[in-house]
């Protein structure tokens, strides 16, 4: 076959051919009776066109129930699975790969499928959404919609099938088409039985539209291709900020300079005479605070701690010591904390060994206020912890240091008798 | 299909059920009447439509201007501030979503209950739903502060490996509202396909034939098509019914899942749903009355339809009133001092004016619908329905603002004052709503032609003769 034969010549009149026979009826009841006759006569390629769903016609025509409900069920199950997988992956799984999920830890809610109740709303919504989409697009697809051409539309009588007429249409390629015209004529419809014609080329999609669709599909890939390209192109330039006011805010960071104030700093100092909360709690009549300074009014160290040594205070002291001091002074106060061990391992020339708080008799002999002062203001190369620890906590640590010392340096004979017996193991 | 066939309703019903439509109608008059509207020429279109449309479009323009100003300046242009960070935007969001409940309720739940009278009003109630949801969707979108990253609401794979947090009610809301908007739109559109085909087949100009034909997607009314169409419609109705109940429940979770006194109550989901149906029906009535007048649909949307809707309003008004009283009772009976304070503050505090506006508009005035005369009086039902919508707006205001402005710690108490921008944005949202609604009434089949025909008495409605 040559190329020219295949092409449809647009100038040539298209070839007309008989497509179907049509009978028209006034009322729904009439068309039901007619449909029953056509069905009984054994036609297969036929349909009834009505302006609204005529109940009883399905039975009269012998239309079998559609599979749509099953499709919708499948759609719904897909939606449900999608929702579960989506929430599980994005909120509970995390790893070093691209597009990894992010394991949220929110208000102690279980971060696994045990947390299912909180996922129910989205599961429900997606189940409904997927089912509904299947119902709509499934029914359209089963109905062959969208379609741009239907042969009967060429006949003006058929126009009223969508407003007030009921039409039975039997196609000409039905095996029994020969009997069709006579049968329809005998059904008592209105007017003549109409012969519907079709042409050989009329159902072709117009060329322009076809190419428009194809090019639109192709063009729609361009943005995706561009995104993909960008993802795999390394770049030195900073990320694009559409609105940069989150990263670059009009505010001063701590310790930064400013031209607004005379002293050139952005941070403000407390006004003269401001006192911290609770700092006046232990001040005596002369304005001296032995509790927070660890010193007497004449500047000498307090011999005894100004707070009752209770079990509770001891426990507190142990806890705070283990947080603040253990790293250098070691668990038992022997000056062998991990920081120190590491410094020696690295042979740090400037490292000075932390004092042996529990075994150095000199420290054992010092006043409580001395240790307190060392914690508060630091001593020689050690930094002070006054800013981190409250006065009460510092006294608690002093108590704990004293306890550590007792465990090492105290003569066993100075202990109460029952404890001596216990320690000697008899 | 027999079990689902409304036309098989027992003969006995016909005896005491009045006909659904007024006057003498047949398939042709119905088609001409409904499909005639989109075919109106400019001179046939009532002046009132042009006037209304001009006003609506101007209001829409104002909405656009307000949103542009907001984006330019930031959310500071609103009255939202510590402690009432959820000001009018959230109030308006809940208000509009609530209105958007009547449409799907009428088309889905009344369909499952075989309430045939729904066919005259379902199409434009559904349209109203979609437009109300569109208005609602604007508010959380512009409320996020950085609307240009509003797409972060959706789980879109990104280079930051950043995902939404699925255990937050605000995220559930994203899914609930977008599912609802999608399903309502599809339901509305699917139902309209046969009617669009009717307009296509009547078209006298090629442009109209092409455009309506495009959206009719090649429907030809074959019985095999109708069979699947009806199945799809039924399935959608069955899906939309739990959906419509879920949407406002999820919206209520935005409040109920928080610990704030006045929000943290288990009654919220049913209470919100009842309120949504209540306000939605009130909006349908306030739109149906002018629409049937201007577009000559009085024989289709009859006084019986309006009365039936007024009865629904009366019933839901009492449900809402019951919820208000239960809330107060539980606040007292529950013995939680914060909760007690929150409710005493609502009733007697510095927002009591809002509480009592809400209470009277929602519970007291609708009681007038007990009287048949009032149920059937056009001016009175218009007044009551507008009041109901005012009241329902106040309900959301009372819930959102009174609770936020009086939380646990007195040092964080405050008083919320809206700005002019707040008010103009809200008014502007009505512009969007009415613009869409007026376009719909003018260009689309406002009543479901095929559904109305299917429920007409078959022999009387047939067009015999020429």
């Amino acid at each position: 076959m040559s190329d020219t034969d295949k092409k449809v010549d647009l100038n040539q009149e298209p070839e007309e051919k008989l497509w179907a026979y049509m009978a028209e009826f006034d009322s729904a009841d009439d068309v039901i009776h007619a449909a029953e006759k056509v069905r009984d006569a054994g036609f297969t390629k036929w349909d009834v066109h009505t302006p609204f769903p005529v109940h009883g016609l399905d039975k009269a025509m012998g239309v079998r129930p559609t599979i749509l409900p099953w499709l919708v069920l499948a759609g719904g199950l897909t939606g449900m699975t999608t929702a579960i997988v989506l929430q599980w992956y994005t909120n509970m799984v995390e790893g070093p790969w691209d597009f990894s999920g992010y394991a949220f830890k929110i208000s102690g809610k279980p971060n696994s499928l045990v947390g299912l109740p909180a996922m129910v709303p989205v599961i429900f919504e997606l189940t409904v959404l997927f089912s509904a989409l299947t119902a709509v697009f499934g029914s359209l697809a089963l109905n062959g919609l969208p379609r741009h051409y239907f042969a009967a539309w060429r006949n003006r009588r058929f126009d009223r099938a969508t407003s007030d007429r009921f039409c039975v249409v039997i196609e000409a390629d039905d095996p029994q088409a020969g009997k069709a015209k006579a049968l329809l004529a005998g059904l008592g419809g209105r007017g003549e039985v109409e012969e519907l014609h079709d042409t050989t080329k009329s159902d072709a999609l117009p060329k322009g539209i076809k190419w428009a669709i194809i090019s639109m599909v192709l063009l729609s890939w361009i943005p995706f291709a561009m995104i993909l390209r960008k993802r795999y192109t390394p770049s030195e330039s900073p990320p694009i900020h559409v609105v940069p006011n989150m990263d670059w805010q009009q505010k001063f960071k701590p310790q930064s300079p400013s031209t607004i104030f005379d002293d050139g700093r952005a941070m403000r100092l407390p006004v003269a005479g401001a006192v911290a909360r609770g700092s006046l709690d232990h001040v005596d009549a002369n304005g001296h605070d032995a509790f927070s300074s660890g010193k007497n009014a004449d500047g000498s160290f307090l011999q005894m701690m100004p707070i009752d040594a209770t079990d509770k205070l001891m426990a507190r002291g142990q806890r705070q010591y283990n947080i603040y001091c253990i790293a250098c002074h070691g668990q038992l106060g022997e000056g062998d904390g991990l920081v120190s061990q590491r410094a020696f391992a690295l042979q740090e020339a400037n490292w000075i060994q932390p004092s042996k708080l529990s075994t150095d008799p000199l420290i054992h002999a010092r006043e409580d206020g001395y240790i307190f002062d060392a914690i508060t203001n630091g001593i020689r190369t050690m930094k002070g912890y006054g800013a981190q620890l409250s006065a009460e906590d510092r006294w608690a640590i002093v108590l704990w240091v004293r306890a550590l010392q007792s465990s090492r340096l105290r003569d066993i004979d100075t202990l109460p008798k029952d404890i001596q017996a216990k320690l000697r193991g008899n | 299909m027999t079990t689902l066939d409304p036309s098989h309703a027992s003969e006995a019903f016909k005896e005491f059920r009045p006909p659904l439509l007024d006057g003498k109608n047949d398939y042709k008059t119905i088609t001409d009447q409904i499909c005639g509207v989109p075919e109106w020429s400019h001179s046939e279109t009532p002046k009132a439509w042009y006037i209304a449309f001009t006003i609506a479009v101007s209001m829409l323009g104002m909405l656009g201007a307000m949103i542009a100003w907001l984006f330019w300046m930031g959310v500071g242009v609103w009255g939202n501030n510590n402690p009432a960070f959820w000001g009018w935007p959230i109030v308006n969001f809940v208000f509009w979503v609530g209105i958007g409940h009547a449409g799907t309720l009428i088309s889905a739940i009344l369909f499952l209950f075989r309430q045939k009278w729904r066919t005259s009003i379902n199409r434009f109630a559904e349209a109203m739903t979609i437009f109300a949801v569109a208005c609602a969707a604007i508010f959380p979108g512009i409320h996020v502060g950085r609307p240009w990253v509003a797409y972060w609401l959706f789980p879109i794979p990104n280079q930051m490996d950043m995902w939404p947090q699925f255990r937050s009610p605000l995220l559930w809301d994203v899914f609930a509202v977008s599912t609802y908007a999608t399903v309502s739109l599809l339901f509305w559109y699917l139902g309209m396909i046969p009617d669009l085909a009717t307009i296509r087949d009547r078209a006298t100009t090629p442009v109209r034939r092409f455009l309506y034909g495009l959206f009719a997607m090649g429907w030809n009314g074959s019985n095999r098509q109708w069979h699947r169409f009806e199945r799809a419609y039924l399935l959608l109705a069955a899906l939309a019914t739990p959906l419509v109940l879920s949407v406002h429940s999820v919206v209520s979770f935005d409040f109920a899942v928080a610990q704030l006194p006045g929000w943290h109550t288990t009654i919220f989901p049913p209470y919100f749903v009842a309120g949504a149906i209540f306000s939605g029906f009130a909006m349908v009535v306030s739109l149906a009355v002018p629409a049937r007048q201007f577009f000559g649909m009085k024989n289709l949307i009859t006084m019986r339809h309006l009365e039936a809707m007024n009865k629904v309003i009366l019933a839901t008004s009492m449900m809402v009133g019951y919820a208000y009283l239960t809330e107060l009772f539980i606040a007292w009976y529950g013995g939680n001092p914060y909760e007690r304070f929150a409710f005493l503050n609502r009733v007697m505090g510095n927002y009591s004016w809002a509480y009592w506006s809400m209470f009277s508009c929602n519970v007291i005035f609708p009681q007038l619908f007990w009287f048949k005369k009032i149920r059937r009086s056009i001016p009175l039902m218009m007044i009551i329905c507008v009041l109901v919508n005012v009241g329902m707006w106040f309900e959301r205001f009372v819930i959102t603002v009174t609770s936020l402005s009086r939380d646990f710690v007195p040092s964080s108490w405050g008083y919320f004052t809206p700005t002019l921008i707040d008010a103009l944005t809200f008014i502007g949202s009505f512009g969007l709503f009415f613009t869409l609604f007026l376009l719909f009434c003018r260009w689309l089949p406002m009543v479901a032609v095929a559904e109305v025909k299917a429920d007409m008495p078959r022999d009387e409605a047939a067009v015999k003769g020429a």
Side-chain angles (χ1 to χ4, degrees):
Chain A
M1 218 200 280
S2 79
D3 224 354
T4 40
D5 285 343
K6 272 196 280 178
K7 274 198 187 140
V8 182
D9 182 358
L10 289 175
N11 299 323
Q12 190 196 311
E13 270 298 300
E15 203 183 306
E16 289 271 336
K17 66 163 198 236
L18 181 66
W19 173 69
Y21 302 97
M22 174 176 93
E24 214 183 348
F25 297 87
D26 280 333
S27 80
D29 291 331
D30 292 350
V31 88
I32 290 179
H33 296 312
E36 281 164 352
K37 299 247 169 61
V38 180
R39 175 197 64 195
D40 293 343
F43 286 93
T44 51
K45 304 197 83 180
W46 64 294
D47 213 330
V48 179
H49 297 264
T50 59
F52 57 85
V54 175
H55 294 282
L57 199 52
D58 286 342
K59 216 170 118 212
M61 283 180 67
V63 175
R64 264 177 296 145
T66 157
I67 57 157
L68 190 65
W70 295 106
L71 296 183
V72 171
L73 177 68
L77 292 175
T78 313
M80 192 169 124
T81 322
T82 309
I84 295 174
V85 172
L86 176 74
Q87 296 184 72
W88 165 78
Y89 179 76
T90 60
N91 279 192
M92 294 170 191
V93 177
E94 197 175 316
W97 56 85
D98 260 8
F99 304 124
S100 140
Y102 183 89
F104 282 96
K105 307 250 175 345
I106 305 285
S107 6
K109 287 174 195 139
N111 204 353
S112 66
L113 290 184
V114 180
L116 200 69
M119 293 162 64
V120 167
V122 173
I123 296 178
F124 173 82
E125 299 300 337
L126 287 193
T127 309
V128 170
L129 181 66
F130 278 52
S131 316
L133 292 175
T134 320
V136 172
F137 294 105
S139 72
L140 291 179
L142 290 174
N143 277 342
L145 302 180
R147 66 190 294 169
H148 72 289
Y149 177 74
F150 182 58
W153 288 337
R154 303 176 79 237
N155 188 293
R156 294 281 67 85
R157 266 175 88 183
F158 186 75
D159 281 350
R160 287 181 73 174
T162 49
S163 47
D164 52 10
R165 291 278 192 262
F166 303 79
C167 304
V168 177
V169 174
I170 302 179
E171 285 178 36
D173 51 1
D174 188 286
Q176 312 205 48
K179 299 194 294 182
K181 194 164 184 179
L183 176 84
L184 287 176
L187 289 176
R190 56 180 301 133
E192 299 277 288
V193 170
E194 188 91 16
E195 288 186 1
L196 301 178
H197 291 272
D198 194 6
T199 68
T200 39
K201 65 149 211 196
S202 48
D203 63 343
L205 199 62
K207 261 224 181 84
I209 295 184
K210 195 159 95 190
W211 283 110
I213 293 174
I214 292 176
S215 43
M216 249 146 76
V217 169
L218 291 179
L219 286 177
S220 70
W221 285 96
I222 293 180
F224 292 106
M226 282 167 64
I227 292 174
L228 203 71
R229 200 184 114 89
K230 271 269 175 263
R231 254 195 88 71
Y232 293 99
T233 317
S235 159
E236 292 289 304
S237 45
I240 301 164
H241 289 262
V242 185
V243 180
N245 61 357
M246 192 111 128
D247 302 72
W248 293 286
Q249 301 181 9
Q250 288 190 311
K251 71 172 187 196
F252 288 110
K253 296 253 161 85
Q255 308 288 5
S256 57
S258 144
T259 52
I260 297 175
F261 300 108
D262 275 348
D263 62 1
R265 24 170 152 193
M267 281 165 82
R268 300 289 74 215
L269 297 172
V271 291
V275 288
R277 259 168 201 265
S279 65
L280 299 179
D281 290 357
H282 300 283
V283 176
D284 66 14
N286 305 320
H288 178 67
D289 185 353
F291 188 84
S292 322
S293 66
K295 289 177 183 161
N296 294 309
D298 61 7
S300 60
F301 292 119
L302 289 184
Q303 192 64 40
M304 290 283 286
M305 40 191 289
I307 181 168
D308 289 341
T310 58
D311 283 350
K312 215 177 135 197
L313 194 71
M314 181 77 85
R316 175 83 187 161
Q318 181 183 11
R319 182 170 180 271
Q320 296 304 78
Y321 178 93
N322 286 346
I323 292 171
Y324 288 95
C325 321
I326 201 171
C328 297
H329 289 285
Q331 190 168 24
L332 301 173
E334 293 174 333
D336 59 349
L338 289 175
V339 170
S340 184
Q341 289 180 27
R342 178 80 178 146
F344 284 123
L346 296 174
Q347 302 190 324
E348 285 286 347
N350 294 331
W351 182 248
I352 293 183
Q353 168 152 34
S355 307
K356 305 178 173 186
L357 296 179
S358 56
T359 53
D360 185 341
L362 289 176
I363 306 176
H364 186 217
R366 295 299 307 244
E367 310 88 334
D368 285 353
Y370 170 82
I371 301 177
F372 183 86
D373 185 66
I375 304 173
T376 310
N377 301 314
I379 185 162
R380 300 187 298 274
T381 49
M382 176 185 138
K383 222 177 84 62
Y385 286 85
Q388 286 99 312
L389 289 160
S390 69
E392 197 176 347
D393 275 358
R394 279 175 266 150
W395 287 119
I397 294 177
V398 171
L399 181 62
W400 179 248
V401 171
R402 288 297 191 215
L404 292 175
Q405 290 173 342
S406 296
S407 73
R408 294 304 162 104
L409 297 173
R410 200 154 163 184
D411 185 354
I412 194 163
D413 296 330
T414 64
L415 291 171
K417 285 267 165 329
D418 52 331
I419 295 182
Q420 284 185 28
K422 215 172 167 187
L423 289 174
R424 291 208 165 92
N426 50 27
Chain B
M1 287 288 292
T2 42
T3 49
L4 303 166
D5 181 356
S7 66
H8 286 178
S10 100
E11 286 298 311
F13 271 120
K14 286 194 184 148
E15 295 292 306
F16 56 88
R17 279 243 164 142
L20 296 171
L21 311 178
D22 275 348
K24 234 194 92 52
N25 305 290
D26 61 35
Y27 297 143
K28 185 155 164 45
T29 61
I30 294 285
T31 318
D32 288 345
Q33 187 185 355
I34 302 169
C35 300
V37 175
E39 292 163 2
W40 277 347
S41 66
H42 287 299
S43 51
E44 279 171 308
T45 314
K47 278 234 165 49
W49 187 88
Y50 285 109
I51 297 172
F53 190 69
T54 314
I55 298 175
V57 169
S58 328
M59 282 159 67
L60 175 61
M62 184 170 75
L63 175 71
M66 289 302 120
I67 293 179
W69 181 242
L70 169 82
F71 284 7
W72 184 251
M73 294 294 288
V75 276
V77 300
W78 286 332
N80 305 13
N81 210 335
N82 190 6
F85 287 112
W86 278 9
W88 279 32
I90 298 301
V91 175
N92 298 342
F93 161 68
V94 183
F95 170 77
W96 279 119
V97 177
I99 288 187
H101 275 61
T104 313
L105 184 99
I106 292 174
S107 39
I109 300 186
L110 296 189
F111 176 76
L112 296 182
F113 282 135
R114 308 267 169 281
Q115 295 297 308
K116 285 203 219 162
W117 57 276
R118 69 181 263 292
T119 53
S120 295
I121 51 168
N122 72 338
R123 173 66 48 71
F124 83 79
E126 283 169 38
M128 183 209 74
T129 285
I130 291 156
F131 306 148
V133 173
C135 291
I138 290 180
F139 285 100
I142 61 177
H143 188 249
V144 292
R146 292 167 198 280
W148 44 91
V149 290
Y151 65 90
W152 285 358
L153 292 169
F154 299 96
I156 300 168
N158 56 73
Q159 80 286 1
M160 296 177 281
D161 290 351
M162 190 185 67
W163 300 99
Q165 202 270 91
F166 277 97
R167 275 161 281 184
S168 156
L170 299 181
L171 186 94
W172 303 343
D173 229 11
V174 172
F175 277 79
V177 174
S178 50
T179 301
Y180 186 57
T182 315
V183 174
S184 313
L185 186 69
L186 290 175
F187 201 8
W188 180 62
Y189 177 59
L190 185 79
M192 204 152 51
I193 289 175
D195 295 353
L196 293 173
T198 308
I199 302 183
R200 174 200 64 201
D201 290 345
R202 291 163 47 94
T204 44
T205 67
V207 177
R208 194 185 299 148
R209 192 175 173 87
F210 174 75
L211 284 179
Y212 286 95
L214 194 66
F215 287 101
M217 291 210 287
W219 179 265
N220 62 22
S222 102
N223 189 51
R224 288 171 220 275
Q225 285 188 346
W226 278 118
H227 170 73
R228 298 189 192 99
F229 172 90
E230 286 212 291
R231 250 308 126 120
Y233 200 87
L234 176 73
L235 287 165
L236 277 179
L239 290 165
T241 299
L243 180 64
V244 75
L245 300 181
S246 86
V247 177
H248 229 51
S249 301
V250 169
V251 170
S252 82
F253 289 159
D254 291 347
F255 300 92
V257 174
Q259 281 104 325
L260 198 67
W263 283 6
H264 193 62
T265 50
T266 44
I267 197 181
F268 264 17
Y271 158 20
F272 268 52
V273 171
I277 295 166
F278 179 50
S279 65
F281 267 88
M283 192 56 121
V284 175
V285 172
S286 17
L287 292 176
V289 167
R292 74 201 266 276
Q293 177 78 35
F294 290 128
F295 296 95
M297 301 287 171
K298 281 186 176 173
N299 57 330
L300 299 177
I301 304 169
T302 68
M303 190 50 90
R304 283 185 304 283
H305 291 97
L306 297 176
E307 198 188 342
M309 287 193 275
N310 290 339
K311 285 180 187 164
V312 175
I313 293 175
L314 177 60
T316 43
S317 153
M318 286 189 295
M319 289 182 207
V320 169
Y322 174 71
Y324 293 163
L325 297 179
T326 309
E327 252 187 347
L328 295 180
F329 172 75
I330 293 295
W332 166 75
Y333 184 70
N336 177 335
Y338 294 101
E339 180 95 359
R340 236 179 239 191
F341 170 79
F343 282 92
L344 273 182
N345 179 54
R346 267 187 200 173
V347 182
M348 312 194 311
N350 47 8
Y351 286 107
S352 56
W353 55 273
Y355 186 85
W356 291 106
S357 315
M358 160 194 108
F359 201 89
S360 45
C361 290
N362 289 353
V363 187
I364 299 174
F365 294 128
Q367 300 307 317
L368 292 170
F369 280 148
W370 283 108
F371 303 102
K372 194 176 176 100
K373 272 239 170 63
I374 297 180
R375 260 191 336 254
R376 297 177 69 93
S377 149
I378 295 277
L380 286 177
M381 79 171 84
M382 273 304 269
I383 293 174
I384 294 175
C385 287
V386 170
L387 282 178
V388 165
N389 274 314
V390 173
M392 283 310 290
W393 188 87
F394 270 110
E395 180 192 297
R396 280 63 177 250
F397 178 82
V398 165
I399 292 174
T400 310
V401 173
T402 61
S403 310
L404 279 173
S405 63
R406 287 284 181 278
D407 66 4
F408 298 98
V409 199
S411 61
S412 64
W413 289 0
Y415 192 82
F416 171 83
T417 322
T419 62
L420 185 66
I421 310 287
D422 271 315
L424 294 182
T425 312
F426 179 49
I427 296 171
S429 67
F430 277 92
L432 173 63
F433 181 73
F434 283 118
T435 305
L436 292 170
F437 190 74
L438 287 165
L439 285 174
F440 158 75
C441 289
R442 175 70 182 79
W443 299 108
L444 291 173
M446 162 180 152
V447 174
V449 193
E451 287 189 59
V452 167
K453 284 181 197 161
D455 284 338
M456 289 167 79
R458 280 180 182 177
D459 33 295
E460 287 164 39
V463 189
K464 308 260 156 93

